[in-house]
Amino acid sequence: DLGRVFPVSGGLPLKQRAPQRQAYRLVELARWQAELGIPLNPQPKFAASGPDLAARWTFAAIERDPRRALAFTSAVMRARWAEERDIADPATLGACAEGAGLPADALADRARAPEIAACYDAATQEAIDCQAFGTPWYVVDGEPFWGQDRLDFVARKLAQ
């Protein structure tokens, strides 16, 4: 929950960042879109919708089937960033789940469970404890890496 991570790490939600930072973020997103050759809307229609429901569905998906959970999270990211769909809408999440081979009704039910909320809270606290200040954030053998442009460094660390 970046809403809890940002205040303790000095980060700011996008809307509160300086205009030049917001503008540069759009430039970087366009660069990554071109580099990766993927569809991406740098200003998605539903950018303001909260990620909490999708996060809880993700924890439920991981619990059920980690491999399909990866396909689910990819579908959720596509829905938000490429397909102009609202990831705070259970119907969108249900379609993403079904597309990943997961039962939407079961995930919806499980996502409401107190244990899933506890997992989300624990993961947020873990991010705070490991001094995360943004996403994506990786920790390999205690060494932190921030940003998709650090994946080469993550790969090298994992190969050690």
Side-chain angles (χ1 to χ4, degrees):
D1 179 353
L2 290 176
R4 287 181 39 209
V5 171
F6 281 161
V8 298
S9 68
L12 293 173
L14 182 58
K15 290 180 183 180
Q16 295 176 14
R17 294 179 194 162
Q20 60 269 42
R21 283 183 167 266
Q22 291 183 40
Y24 185 76
R25 177 181 170 274
L26 296 176
V27 170
E28 279 290 293
L29 287 172
R31 285 182 183 140
W32 278 106
Q33 177 186 17
E35 174 68 21
L36 298 174
I38 58 172
L40 173 75
N41 179 354
Q43 295 180 294
K45 180 178 179 180
F46 295 102
S49 67
D52 292 346
L53 184 60
R56 290 194 308 270
W57 275 60
T58 299
F59 280 104
I62 291 167
E63 182 181 86
R64 185 172 195 93
D65 186 331
R67 287 182 187 260
R68 291 181 193 261
L70 185 58
F72 170 74
T73 58
S74 294
V76 169
M77 295 301 279
R78 253 189 332 277
R80 178 174 222 151
W81 291 99
E83 299 169 356
E84 299 292 351
R85 295 164 56 206
D86 186 359
I87 65 166
D89 179 357
T92 297
L93 296 173
C96 292
E98 294 292 339
L102 293 163
D105 290 342
L107 288 190
D109 288 343
R110 188 65 183 144
R112 289 190 285 272
E115 300 85 22
I116 295 297
C119 286
Y120 187 32
D121 287 341
T124 300
Q125 188 58 52
E126 183 180 357
I128 291 168
D129 292 346
C130 74
Q131 300 182 358
F133 53 81
T135 62
W137 186 270
Y138 311 93
V139 178
V140 180
D141 294 334
E143 185 176 344
F145 300 87
W146 173 53
Q148 74 279 359
D149 53 335
R150 303 301 189 276
L151 288 175
D152 287 344
F153 292 115
V154 172
R156 278 181 250 169
K157 181 70 175 181
L158 289 169
Q160 293 178 351

